[in-house]
């Protein structure tokens, strides 16, 4: 038997020649992930709840020299999932990467949650993630493999007041990630998740402007800072890269140490 060589092999984060589809890509984490994937070499299809948004993201990707494909995609609608996935696959020839970023988290006390609010959150966060994964997963199985990264949250691992429904969906996404990873591993499809802490985005700015909220938040994060979109995007690129070729079924917490306490 040949002697084992610890210097053999190459660690690669390059995504040149790959194509990706990112949901909820108009702003915030979705936009950051889309641009980060392009910087790593991928062409990117942008899933947009309103296809007329996302011009700044498209411009940024094209400035890098990669292709950007805007798609009308409300993940709570099966018809839009099917049409968007079909168009991305037709345009790029395959979908190597799916980032299930689209999600909502309207705060509400558990005793005040209406059925319509409950259904809407599950339709976007959980049902949307499942059926996006199914639609793209079928193609990845046929085409010989791929990488799926779901956006969970630290809220799937700790209880957050007034976020019971959101927390439930994010916990479910972490477990769905394991289920799909085990089922599709034999097809070369890797399924992982990223679980961020509170990230500074257009949707969270109003909370961070509340100094008492901000100080309470920082007291729970051992690293002592709020996350930035690039913190999450870096984890996503890693999980989509050849460097993560032996990783599947895991949820990577990007939480500054919150859940380590």
């Amino acid at each position: 038997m040949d002697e084992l060589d610890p210097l053999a092999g190459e660690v690669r984060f390059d995504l040149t020649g790959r194509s990706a589809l990112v949901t909820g890509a108009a702003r915030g984490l979705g936009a950051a992930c889309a641009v980060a994937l392009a910087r790593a070499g991928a062409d990117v299809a942008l899933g947009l709840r309103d296809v007329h948004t996302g011009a700044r993201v498209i411009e940024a990707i094209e400035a890098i020299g990669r292709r950007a494909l805007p798609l009308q995609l409300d993940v709570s609608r099966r018809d839009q999932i099917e049409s968007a996935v079909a168009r991305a696959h037709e345009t790029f020839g395959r979908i190597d990467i799916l980032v299930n970023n689209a999600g909502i988290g309207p705060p509400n006390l558990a005793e005040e949650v209406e059925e319509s609010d409950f259904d809407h959150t599950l339709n976007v966060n959980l049902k949307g993630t499942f059926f996006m994964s199914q639609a793209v997963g079928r193609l990845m199985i046929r085409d010989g493999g791929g990488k799926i990264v779901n956006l969970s949250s630290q809220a799937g691992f700790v209880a957050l007041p007034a976020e019971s429904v959101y927390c439930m969906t994010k916990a479910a996404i972490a477990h769905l990630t394991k289920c799909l990873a085990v089922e599709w591993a034999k097809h070369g499809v890797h399924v992982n998740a990223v679980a961020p802490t509170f990230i500074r985005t257009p949707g969270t700015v109003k909370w961070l402007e509340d100094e008492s909220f901000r100080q309470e938040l920082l007291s729970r994060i051992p690293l002592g800072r709020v996350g930035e979109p690039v913190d999450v995007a870096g984890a996503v690129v890693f999980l989509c890269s050849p460097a993560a070729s032996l990783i599947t079924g895991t949820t990577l917490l990007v939480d500054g140490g919150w859940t380590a306490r």
Side-chain angles (χ1 to χ4, degrees), residues 142-161:
R142 189 189 74 185
D143 293 341
K147 301 287 185 75
I148 297 175
V149 179
N150 300 320
L151 264 292
S152 179
S153 169
Q154 71 176 23
F157 296 83
V158 296
L160 300 180

Side-chain angles (χ1 to χ4, degrees), residues 46-52 70-74 80 83-84 87:
L46 307 171
L48 306 168
R49 191 163 56 88
D50 178 353
V51 74
H52 301 294
L71 299 169
Q72 176 60 46
L73 179 52
D74 178 344
Q80 292 194 15
S83 61
R87 187 172 172 218

Side-chain angles (χ1 to χ4, degrees), residues 55-77:
R56 184 164 174 257
V57 184
I58 294 169
E59 181 181 345
I61 292 172
E62 291 180 342
I64 296 166
R66 307 313 309 170
R67 290 184 291 171
L69 175 68
L71 299 169
Q72 176 60 46
L73 179 52
D74 178 344
V75 299
S76 68
R77 294 184 51 179

